[in-house]
Amino acid sequence: MDRAAIIGIGMTKIEARKVDMTFADMAFEAVRGALADAGMSIDDIDNVITTSNDFWDGRTISCMAVGDASGASDKNVSCVEGDGTFGAFYGLARTLSGSYGTTLVTGHSKGSQSVSSLITNAAFDPIYNRTLGADMITACALQANAYMARTGATAEQLARVSVKNHGNALLNPNAHLGMKLTVKDVLDSEMISDPLHRLDCSPVSDGCCAIIIADEKRAKKAKKQPVWIKGVGMCADAYFLGDRDLSRSESLVKAAKSAYAMAGISSPEKTIDIAEVYDAFSYQELMWLEGLGLCADGEAGAKLEKGEFDIAGSLPVNPSGGLLGGHAVIAAGLYRIAEVVRQVRGEAGKYQAKKADTGLAHGVNGLAGQSHCVWILGKDR
Amino acid sequence: MDGGQRRQSGICGMEEIIMADVFKGIEPMVYKSRISVPYHWWAGETASRFLIALRDERKILGTRCTGCGKTYLPPRKNCPSCFEAAMDWVECAREGTVLAFTVARRQLASLPRKVPVIFVLVRLDGADTALLHYLEGIDPGSVRISMRVAARFAQERGARMQDIECFVPKGE
């Protein structure tokens, strides 16, 4: 394919309650940050994609309400409902179409303003499922049990993910929930829905992330070295939970394979230096790493225990603290992309991995990982 | 999006939830409201037939794809796997196997009943996919994947998913 790169990133601090900011205030701050990072003005932006969810925002056509704050008022602006990685995929496609030299992509949400359980319950089919009252946590708890039963992953291993990522978040000034924890702290925390304790679950946070994607010609005009988009892949599984083998993620396997193929990567476990994956719940980091082919099926827990996924390990995973360190729904995957950009540039400060020439960012949309979007980003063109 | 207590809409101060002086010299305001829009989902031909069979015959009907042979429960009008249009109706057994479970222990806002609530994905004999429902009649700590369960029908039925009241361990 033609080449495209990420040339600017902007992130608000992820927080429990941004009472001092509206949606538009957050978008404005993130977009200004991305423009400054790229050394550009809003006039250099050819088109805009905003990513949001109407239920989370409490208004219909929520994506358009942040258009002005995203500098889109006199531009071609389009919207994606879903995780920010999906919005970025659309933004990349628009850039590669040749019609736009630069595309600004934003993703925002404020989980603090509503009740997450009611919003995620509304994702279930209203005729067959919704009135039973399951939500995102209970759906993912079903998946966690199925995954643990099939692979033998243990509650201690899940807790260890939480310990690692909350610990990493302490090093990231943008993170919402940095904490020094022990495995015992996690296992002793309130059981919300077996096998998920409170500290196995990411917090619901507020935040906005923006990135600027550019074609090769425009990327060369950016202030910093472009971070090149080497490969992307997307795949969805069945909608109904009962149609899937919840203990596996076939859609992630397919999304990852297509991203690796585009990037010309044959041994991802050797090529990928760092990964930012969608750890909305502790078990997901292990399950997604296996689906991504970054370790063999059922072996992520043991590798985690050996410290291989620590910042100083052989494959740092979620050095930023991941979603467990701060989960602005919708924006979460876009934050993963921006964090990989930071790593590849060597700008991650206290949570910088030693080697980060090639990084992987991952986003999820839908109940219990229904669909996945995988990005391979690299230093070399 | 209709949980919690009914509150009046309107602007009010946020003192009760804000400790820090976020704004200098400005009283932080919040607009409290709720979204409550009446909505009617037409169940469609396939789900209607499924729900009527639950209500009137206490039968659990799935649909089998004439192309790939996969049997869906809840029934689908067309096959999502092979994209075949034609499906045959089949009656599934009331008994099946638990493929996944969880025990909700926190009173999450979406839960219509008191915790603990046991959710299960049950694959009924004769079906290839699993049904999401409740499990009762068992200590929450004793639920296991691959245990056998059976549907218990509600006495009063109204062509709803809750016409199956819950699943219970087989043999109860």
Short mmCIF file of all heavy atoms in Angstrom, two decimals, chain B residues 104-139:
data_model
loop_
_atom_site.label_atom_id
_atom_site.label_comp_id
_atom_site.label_asym_id
_atom_site.label_seq_id
_atom_site.Cartn_x
_atom_site.Cartn_y
_atom_site.Cartn_z
N ALA B 104 -22.79 -12.82 39.46
CA ALA B 104 -22.74 -11.39 39.77
C ALA B 104 -22.98 -11.23 41.26
O ALA B 104 -23.98 -11.71 41.79
CB ALA B 104 -23.80 -10.65 38.96
N ARG B 105 -22.00 -10.57 41.93
CA ARG B 105 -22.11 -10.43 43.39
C ARG B 105 -22.32 -8.99 43.82
O ARG B 105 -22.86 -8.73 44.88
CB ARG B 105 -20.86 -11.01 44.06
CG ARG B 105 -20.74 -12.51 43.78
CD ARG B 105 -19.56 -13.12 44.49
NE ARG B 105 -19.38 -14.52 44.11
CZ ARG B 105 -19.93 -15.55 44.73
NH1 ARG B 105 -20.74 -15.37 45.76
NH2 ARG B 105 -19.70 -16.78 44.32
N ARG B 106 -21.88 -8.05 42.97
CA ARG B 106 -22.20 -6.65 43.26
C ARG B 106 -23.55 -6.34 42.61
O ARG B 106 -23.86 -6.81 41.52
CB ARG B 106 -21.13 -5.72 42.68
CG ARG B 106 -21.42 -4.25 43.00
CD ARG B 106 -20.51 -3.29 42.27
NE ARG B 106 -19.20 -3.15 42.90
CZ ARG B 106 -18.28 -2.27 42.51
NH1 ARG B 106 -18.53 -1.47 41.49
NH2 ARG B 106 -17.12 -2.20 43.12
N GLN B 107 -24.36 -5.52 43.28
CA GLN B 107 -25.68 -5.18 42.75
C GLN B 107 -25.51 -4.16 41.61
O GLN B 107 -25.77 -2.97 41.77
CB GLN B 107 -26.58 -4.63 43.86
CG GLN B 107 -28.06 -4.58 43.49
CD GLN B 107 -28.66 -5.97 43.29
OE1 GLN B 107 -28.53 -6.83 44.14
NE2 GLN B 107 -29.29 -6.20 42.15
N LEU B 108 -25.05 -4.64 40.45
CA LEU B 108 -24.86 -3.78 39.29
C LEU B 108 -26.18 -3.16 38.88
O LEU B 108 -27.25 -3.78 39.02
CB LEU B 108 -24.26 -4.59 38.14
CG LEU B 108 -22.88 -5.21 38.44
CD1 LEU B 108 -22.59 -6.39 37.53
CD2 LEU B 108 -21.79 -4.15 38.32
N ALA B 109 -26.12 -1.94 38.35
CA ALA B 109 -27.36 -1.20 38.06
C ALA B 109 -28.26 -1.89 37.05
O ALA B 109 -29.47 -1.70 37.04
CB ALA B 109 -27.00 0.20 37.57
N SER B 110 -27.66 -2.72 36.18
CA SER B 110 -28.46 -3.37 35.13
C SER B 110 -29.23 -4.58 35.63
O SER B 110 -30.11 -5.08 34.95
CB SER B 110 -27.53 -3.82 34.00
OG SER B 110 -26.59 -4.76 34.48
N LEU B 111 -28.90 -5.08 36.83
CA LEU B 111 -29.49 -6.33 37.30
C LEU B 111 -30.91 -6.11 37.80
O LEU B 111 -31.14 -5.29 38.69
CB LEU B 111 -28.64 -6.93 38.43
CG LEU B 111 -27.24 -7.41 38.04
CD1 LEU B 111 -26.44 -7.79 39.28
CD2 LEU B 111 -27.32 -8.59 37.08
N PRO B 112 -31.90 -6.85 37.26
CA PRO B 112 -33.28 -6.67 37.68
C PRO B 112 -33.64 -7.47 38.93
O PRO B 112 -34.77 -7.41 39.40
CB PRO B 112 -34.08 -7.16 36.47
CG PRO B 112 -33.20 -8.19 35.84
CD PRO B 112 -31.77 -7.80 36.14
N ARG B 113 -32.72 -8.25 39.45
CA ARG B 113 -33.00 -9.05 40.65
C ARG B 113 -31.84 -8.94 41.63
O ARG B 113 -30.76 -8.48 41.27
CB ARG B 113 -33.28 -10.49 40.26
CG ARG B 113 -32.29 -11.05 39.27
CD ARG B 113 -32.42 -12.55 39.10
NE ARG B 113 -33.62 -12.95 38.39
CZ ARG B 113 -34.03 -14.21 38.28
NH1 ARG B 113 -33.36 -15.18 38.85
NH2 ARG B 113 -35.12 -14.52 37.62
N LYS B 114 -32.10 -9.41 42.83
CA LYS B 114 -31.10 -9.29 43.89
C LYS B 114 -29.92 -10.24 43.67
O LYS B 114 -30.12 -11.37 43.26
CB LYS B 114 -31.75 -9.61 45.25
CG LYS B 114 -32.48 -8.44 45.87
CD LYS B 114 -32.14 -8.34 47.37
CE LYS B 114 -32.45 -6.99 47.95
NZ LYS B 114 -33.86 -6.84 48.33
N VAL B 115 -28.72 -9.76 43.97
CA VAL B 115 -27.55 -10.64 43.88
C VAL B 115 -27.57 -11.63 45.05
O VAL B 115 -28.17 -11.33 46.08
CB VAL B 115 -26.24 -9.82 43.89
CG1 VAL B 115 -26.11 -9.03 42.61
CG2 VAL B 115 -26.12 -8.94 45.11
N PRO B 116 -26.88 -12.78 44.93
CA PRO B 116 -26.10 -13.19 43.76
C PRO B 116 -26.98 -13.64 42.59
O PRO B 116 -27.99 -14.31 42.82
CB PRO B 116 -25.27 -14.37 44.28
CG PRO B 116 -26.07 -14.92 45.43
CD PRO B 116 -26.78 -13.75 46.04
N VAL B 117 -26.59 -13.24 41.38
CA VAL B 117 -27.28 -13.66 40.16
C VAL B 117 -26.30 -14.49 39.35
O VAL B 117 -25.19 -14.04 39.07
CB VAL B 117 -27.73 -12.44 39.32
CG1 VAL B 117 -28.39 -12.90 38.02
CG2 VAL B 117 -28.68 -11.55 40.12
N ILE B 118 -26.71 -15.72 39.02
CA ILE B 118 -25.83 -16.60 38.23
C ILE B 118 -26.26 -16.53 36.77
O ILE B 118 -27.40 -16.88 36.43
CB ILE B 118 -25.90 -18.06 38.71
CG1 ILE B 118 -25.66 -18.14 40.23
CG2 ILE B 118 -24.90 -18.93 37.95
CD1 ILE B 118 -25.91 -19.53 40.82
N PHE B 119 -25.37 -16.04 35.91
CA PHE B 119 -25.61 -16.06 34.46
C PHE B 119 -24.89 -17.28 33.87
O PHE B 119 -23.76 -17.59 34.26
CB PHE B 119 -25.03 -14.81 33.79
CG PHE B 119 -25.82 -13.55 34.06
CD1 PHE B 119 -25.36 -12.60 34.96
CD2 PHE B 119 -27.01 -13.31 33.38
CE1 PHE B 119 -26.07 -11.44 35.19
CE2 PHE B 119 -27.73 -12.15 33.62
CZ PHE B 119 -27.27 -11.21 34.53
N VAL B 120 -25.56 -17.93 32.92
CA VAL B 120 -24.93 -19.06 32.23
C VAL B 120 -25.15 -18.95 30.73
O VAL B 120 -26.15 -18.38 30.27
CB VAL B 120 -25.51 -20.43 32.69
CG1 VAL B 120 -24.91 -20.85 34.02
CG2 VAL B 120 -27.04 -20.40 32.76
N LEU B 121 -24.21 -19.50 29.98
CA LEU B 121 -24.43 -19.77 28.55
C LEU B 121 -24.66 -21.27 28.48
O LEU B 121 -23.77 -22.06 28.85
CB LEU B 121 -23.22 -19.36 27.72
CG LEU B 121 -23.07 -17.86 27.46
CD1 LEU B 121 -21.72 -17.57 26.81
CD2 LEU B 121 -24.19 -17.34 26.56
N VAL B 122 -25.86 -21.66 28.05
CA VAL B 122 -26.24 -23.07 28.02
C VAL B 122 -26.44 -23.52 26.58
O VAL B 122 -27.20 -22.89 25.83
CB VAL B 122 -27.58 -23.29 28.76
CG1 VAL B 122 -27.96 -24.77 28.74
CG2 VAL B 122 -27.50 -22.79 30.18
N ARG B 123 -25.74 -24.58 26.20
CA ARG B 123 -26.01 -25.17 24.88
C ARG B 123 -26.98 -26.32 25.06
O ARG B 123 -26.64 -27.36 25.62
CB ARG B 123 -24.71 -25.65 24.21
CG ARG B 123 -24.97 -26.11 22.76
CD ARG B 123 -23.69 -26.39 22.01
NE ARG B 123 -22.95 -27.45 22.67
CZ ARG B 123 -21.62 -27.53 22.68
NH1 ARG B 123 -20.89 -26.63 22.09
NH2 ARG B 123 -21.03 -28.53 23.30
N LEU B 124 -28.20 -26.10 24.60
CA LEU B 124 -29.23 -27.14 24.73
C LEU B 124 -28.96 -28.27 23.74
O LEU B 124 -28.42 -28.03 22.65
CB LEU B 124 -30.62 -26.55 24.47
CG LEU B 124 -31.10 -25.51 25.51
CD1 LEU B 124 -32.54 -25.11 25.22
CD2 LEU B 124 -30.99 -26.06 26.93
N ASP B 125 -29.33 -29.47 24.12
CA ASP B 125 -29.14 -30.62 23.23
C ASP B 125 -29.93 -30.36 21.95
O ASP B 125 -31.11 -30.02 21.99
CB ASP B 125 -29.63 -31.90 23.92
CG ASP B 125 -28.85 -32.19 25.20
OD1 ASP B 125 -27.78 -31.57 25.38
OD2 ASP B 125 -29.32 -33.00 26.02
N GLY B 126 -29.24 -30.52 20.84
CA GLY B 126 -29.88 -30.27 19.54
C GLY B 126 -29.52 -28.91 18.97
O GLY B 126 -29.82 -28.65 17.80
N ALA B 127 -28.91 -28.04 19.77
CA ALA B 127 -28.51 -26.72 19.27
C ALA B 127 -26.99 -26.66 19.14
O ALA B 127 -26.27 -27.38 19.83
CB ALA B 127 -29.00 -25.62 20.21
N ASP B 128 -26.52 -25.79 18.26
CA ASP B 128 -25.07 -25.59 18.11
C ASP B 128 -24.60 -24.31 18.80
O ASP B 128 -23.40 -24.09 18.92
CB ASP B 128 -24.70 -25.53 16.63
CG ASP B 128 -24.88 -26.88 15.97
OD1 ASP B 128 -24.33 -27.87 16.48
OD2 ASP B 128 -25.59 -26.95 14.94
N THR B 129 -25.52 -23.45 19.19
CA THR B 129 -25.14 -22.22 19.88
C THR B 129 -25.76 -22.22 21.28
O THR B 129 -26.63 -23.04 21.57
CB THR B 129 -25.62 -20.97 19.11
OG1 THR B 129 -27.05 -20.96 19.13
CG2 THR B 129 -25.12 -20.98 17.67
N ALA B 130 -25.30 -21.30 22.11
CA ALA B 130 -25.72 -21.31 23.51
C ALA B 130 -26.65 -20.14 23.82
O ALA B 130 -26.56 -19.07 23.22
CB ALA B 130 -24.50 -21.27 24.42
N LEU B 131 -27.53 -20.38 24.78
CA LEU B 131 -28.51 -19.40 25.21
C LEU B 131 -28.01 -18.74 26.50
O LEU B 131 -27.51 -19.42 27.39
CB LEU B 131 -29.80 -20.16 25.51
CG LEU B 131 -31.17 -19.51 25.39
CD1 LEU B 131 -31.40 -18.98 23.99
CD2 LEU B 131 -32.23 -20.55 25.73
N LEU B 132 -28.15 -17.41 26.56
CA LEU B 132 -27.81 -16.71 27.80
C LEU B 132 -29.01 -16.73 28.73
O LEU B 132 -30.13 -16.38 28.31
CB LEU B 132 -27.43 -15.25 27.48
CG LEU B 132 -27.11 -14.35 28.67
CD1 LEU B 132 -25.83 -14.79 29.37
CD2 LEU B 132 -26.98 -12.89 28.22
N HIS B 133 -28.81 -17.17 29.99
CA HIS B 133 -29.94 -17.17 30.93
C HIS B 133 -29.43 -17.25 32.36
O HIS B 133 -28.24 -17.20 32.61
CB HIS B 133 -30.91 -18.32 30.62
CG HIS B 133 -32.35 -17.89 30.73
ND1 HIS B 133 -32.93 -17.52 31.92
CD2 HIS B 133 -33.32 -17.75 29.79
CE1 HIS B 133 -34.20 -17.17 31.71
NE2 HIS B 133 -34.46 -17.29 30.42
N TYR B 134 -30.39 -17.38 33.29
CA TYR B 134 -30.06 -17.51 34.71
C TYR B 134 -29.94 -18.98 35.09
O TYR B 134 -30.59 -19.85 34.50
CB TYR B 134 -31.17 -16.92 35.59
CG TYR B 134 -31.55 -15.50 35.33
CD1 TYR B 134 -32.87 -15.16 35.03
CD2 TYR B 134 -30.61 -14.47 35.40
CE1 TYR B 134 -33.24 -13.84 34.81
CE2 TYR B 134 -30.99 -13.15 35.19
CZ TYR B 134 -32.31 -12.84 34.89
OH TYR B 134 -32.67 -11.53 34.68
N LEU B 135 -29.13 -19.25 36.12
CA LEU B 135 -29.09 -20.56 36.75
C LEU B 135 -29.50 -20.39 38.20
O LEU B 135 -29.01 -19.48 38.88
CB LEU B 135 -27.69 -21.17 36.65
CG LEU B 135 -27.49 -22.56 37.28
CD1 LEU B 135 -28.29 -23.62 36.52
CD2 LEU B 135 -26.01 -22.95 37.30
N GLU B 136 -30.40 -21.24 38.66
CA GLU B 136 -30.84 -21.19 40.06
C GLU B 136 -30.82 -22.59 40.65
O GLU B 136 -30.54 -23.56 39.96
CB GLU B 136 -32.25 -20.59 40.16
CG GLU B 136 -32.29 -19.10 39.88
CD GLU B 136 -33.70 -18.52 39.99
OE1 GLU B 136 -34.58 -19.19 40.59
OE2 GLU B 136 -33.92 -17.44 39.45
N GLY B 137 -31.14 -22.67 41.94
CA GLY B 137 -31.22 -23.97 42.60
C GLY B 137 -29.88 -24.61 42.85
O GLY B 137 -29.75 -25.83 42.88
N ILE B 138 -28.85 -23.79 43.00
CA ILE B 138 -27.51 -24.32 43.25
C ILE B 138 -26.73 -23.28 44.06
O ILE B 138 -26.95 -22.07 43.90
CB ILE B 138 -26.79 -24.65 41.92
CG1 ILE B 138 -25.42 -25.28 42.19
CG2 ILE B 138 -26.66 -23.41 41.04
CD1 ILE B 138 -24.76 -25.84 40.93
N ASP B 139 -25.85 -23.75 44.90
CA ASP B 139 -24.96 -22.83 45.61
C ASP B 139 -24.04 -22.17 44.59
O ASP B 139 -23.45 -22.87 43.76
CB ASP B 139 -24.13 -23.62 46.63
CG ASP B 139 -23.07 -22.74 47.28
OD1 ASP B 139 -23.45 -21.86 48.05
OD2 ASP B 139 -21.88 -22.92 46.96
#
